[in-house]
């Protein structure tokens, strides 16, 4: 059995697969060459970069598994593949903590102007230290503020836990029934149970000081002009879900009119070429879709993928 790990796989996962007798190739075959080279393989593992569309699936009659390291499967024609008897698997929980931690990187960056300070210190730090000190003098704390989590699934839950640990009031909303009990785990194995407050979408928009989005992209923006208008003046918002979840033009408008104090963005409408007006905005904290990009998450992804592939082929 030959496995192509086209977007890479952590060493631990690779070793597990090799130990189970598979040949694992970690070369990256460019998208346009896959149609001629993927038919040699029984399994392909991808992250978000490689696209597995109908034409490629048709060209690979021997393909048994398409394995996505991560959550979103928007780069794979999942139902079509399954219709052809190919198993499509993913590792939805492996990166939740990493994404949630990045969300707070953006919140801290936003409330203390770190994104802008970093940029300006590089050019003005020597000539205008006192001026910059003054410019960033009015930061705020997160403690005691209300965090609104929209989408209380795997990542929303981890985000809520960090908010609670920081002393924030956490309100959540979801379109599906949810368990509002969360268990915080501490370093030496101690745990603490908490209850988050579930409220309606509009109520959350109107009461949260900080909003974090953790929903799938369902074809249209969840947060547009109307929703921004319902938010508290000076709210901060972080999007580490999918680009289209926020209407970027509406975001820019509400950043510019002062309604929104800052935004933290890990994902963009038009990846990999996001809008320059967002990239250059002084009140937007930015990262290039790296929510899951930690050693720990990638190790878990590799381990989970290997376990799932081994299980699937053993059936
Ligand atoms: P999940 O499926 O566990 O949770 C999503 C939750 O959103 C569900 O509980 C669902 O009921 C709820 N939901 C759906 N539509 C809603 C709406 N309109 N209003 C309120 N709630 C709604 O998903 P997850 O694993 O937590 O992932 C969340 C998002 O994060 C996805 O978009 C995923 O693609 C993205 N993600 C981003 C990165 C990154 O690198 N930034 C990494 C992993 C996942």
């Amino acid at each position: 059995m030959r496995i192509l790990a086209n977007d890479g796989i952590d060493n631990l996962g690779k070793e597990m697969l090799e130990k189970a007798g598979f040949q694992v190739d970690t070369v990256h075959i460019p998208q346009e060459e896959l149609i001629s080279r993927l038919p040699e393989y029984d399994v392909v593992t991808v992250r978000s970069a490689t696209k597995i569309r109908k034409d490629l699936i048709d060209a690979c009659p021997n393909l048994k598994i398409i394995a996505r390291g991560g959550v979103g499967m928007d780069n794979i024609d999942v139902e079509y593949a399954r219709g052809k008897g190919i198993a499509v698997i993913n590792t939805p929980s492996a990166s939740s903590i990493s994404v949630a931690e990045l969300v707070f990187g953006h919140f801290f960056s936003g409330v203390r102007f770190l994104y802008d300070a970093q940029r300006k210190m590089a050019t003005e730090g020597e000539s205008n230290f006192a001026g910059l000190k003054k410019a960033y003098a009015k930061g705020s704390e997160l403690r005691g503020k209300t965090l609104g989590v929209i989408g209380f699934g795997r990542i929303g839950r981890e985000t809520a836990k960090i908010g609670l640990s920081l002393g924030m009031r956490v309100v959540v909303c979801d379109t599906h029934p949810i368990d509002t009990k969360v268990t915080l785990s501490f370093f030496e194995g101690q745990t603490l149970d908490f209850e988050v407050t579930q409220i309606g979408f509009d109520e959350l928009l109107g009461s949260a000081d900080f909003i974090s989005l953790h929903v799938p992209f369902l074809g249209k923006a969840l947060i547009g002009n109307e929703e921004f208008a319902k938010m508290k003046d000076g709210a901060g918002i972080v999007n580490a879900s999918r680009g289209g979840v926020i209407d970027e033009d509406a975001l820019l408008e509400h950043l510019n009119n002062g309604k929104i104090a800052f935004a933290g963005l890990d994902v963009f409408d038009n990846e990999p070429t996001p809008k320059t007006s967002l990239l250059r905005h002084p009140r937007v904290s930015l990262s290039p879709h790296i929510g899951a990009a930690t050693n720990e998450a990638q190790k878990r992804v590799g381990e989970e993928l290997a376990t799932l592939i081994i299980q699937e082929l053993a059936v």
Side-chain angles (χ1 to χ4, degrees):
M1 289 269 187
R2 293 187 68 192
I3 299 178
L4 173 67
N6 208 45
D7 296 333
I9 186 166
D10 183 81
N11 270 340
L12 178 65
K14 185 170 186 260
E15 280 165 24
M16 285 168 69
L17 289 164
E18 285 171 343
K19 224 169 154 189
F22 301 105
Q23 180 189 323
V24 184
D25 291 347
T26 50
V27 287
H28 176 76
I29 299 177
Q31 189 70 43
E32 58 283 4
E33 290 176 29
L34 279 173
I35 199 117
S36 59
R37 296 177 59 190
L38 190 59
E40 300 162 29
Y41 291 92
D42 303 279
V43 176
V44 60
T45 78
V46 300
R47 290 179 60 190
S48 56
T50 302
K51 315 269 178 278
I52 310 283
R53 298 289 175 219
K54 288 179 184 163
D55 54 339
L56 190 53
I57 294 167
D58 286 337
C60 302
N62 297 325
L63 199 60
K64 295 168 188 62
I65 302 178
I66 301 168
R68 156 78 159 107
V71 190
M73 302 228 266
D74 9 0
N75 53 327
I76 303 168
D77 283 335
V78 177
E79 291 317 316
Y80 190 74
R82 288 190 175 139
K84 295 231 152 191
I86 299 169
V88 185
I89 56 182
N90 67 344
T91 60
S93 307
S95 59
S96 305
I97 292 170
S98 294
V99 180
E101 289 191 3
L102 183 72
V103 165
F104 278 89
H106 284 297
F107 277 131
F108 283 121
S109 178
V111 290
R112 304 306 292 272
F113 318 106
L114 296 183
Y115 164 72
D116 201 47
Q118 174 71 33
R119 210 173 49 158
K120 295 235 177 79
M121 283 293 280
T123 54
E124 296 175 36
E126 284 163 295
S127 61
N128 185 27
F129 192 94
L132 293 181
K133 187 173 159 77
K134 197 168 167 207
Y136 306 124
K138 295 217 160 107
S140 14
E141 295 179 348
L142 294 180
R143 176 176 295 265
K145 307 293 186 326
T146 299
L147 170 69
V149 175
I150 301 182
F152 198 58
R154 289 169 291 248
I155 301 172
R157 187 167 273 278
E158 293 304 328
T159 303
K161 286 188 199 173
I162 300 177
L164 289 168
S165 310
L166 289 171
M168 301 181 85
R169 171 176 172 254
V170 178
V171 295
V172 307
C173 81
D174 202 292
T175 43
H176 292 83
I178 54 164
D179 178 4
T180 52
K181 199 180 121 198
V182 294
T183 303
L184 306 189
S185 307
F186 296 94
F187 193 64
E188 283 174 342
Q190 292 187 41
T191 59
L192 258 183
D193 288 338
F194 271 97
E195 194 85 34
V196 294
T197 308
Q198 184 176 9
I199 58 178
F201 182 59
D202 280 354
E203 198 188 337
L204 184 147
L205 295 178
S207 60
D209 301 297
F210 302 101
I211 292 179
S212 193
L213 299 167
H214 300 289
V215 297
F217 175 58
L218 294 174
K220 81 185 244 300
L222 181 67
I223 305 293
N225 278 317
E226 218 178 286
E227 290 71 28
F228 281 119
K230 289 177 186 162
M231 290 178 195
K232 278 176 108 165
D233 290 342
I237 187 163
V238 170
N239 185 16
S241 61
R242 281 290 179 264
V245 172
I246 287 189
D247 175 337
E248 293 179 347
D249 291 329
L251 172 62
L252 279 165
E253 188 180 326
H254 287 85
L255 280 165
N256 291 336
N257 70 21
K259 177 82 182 172
I260 298 299
F262 70 87
L265 301 175
D266 185 48
V267 289
F268 303 86
D269 242 352
N270 200 24
E271 292 179 26
T273 49
K275 271 195 178 75
T276 315
S277 43
L278 279 176
L279 299 183
R280 306 245 164 100
H281 201 286
R283 283 183 285 115
V284 181
S285 169
L286 299 151
S287 55
H289 202 152
I290 51 165
T294 63
N295 293 329
E296 292 82 356
Q298 290 316 309
K299 200 167 166 183
R300 281 193 294 270
V301 165
E303 202 175 353
E304 264 184 62
L305 274 190
T307 306
L308 290 169
I309 292 169
I310 293 165
Q311 271 169 7
E312 184 66 35
L313 292 176
V315 178

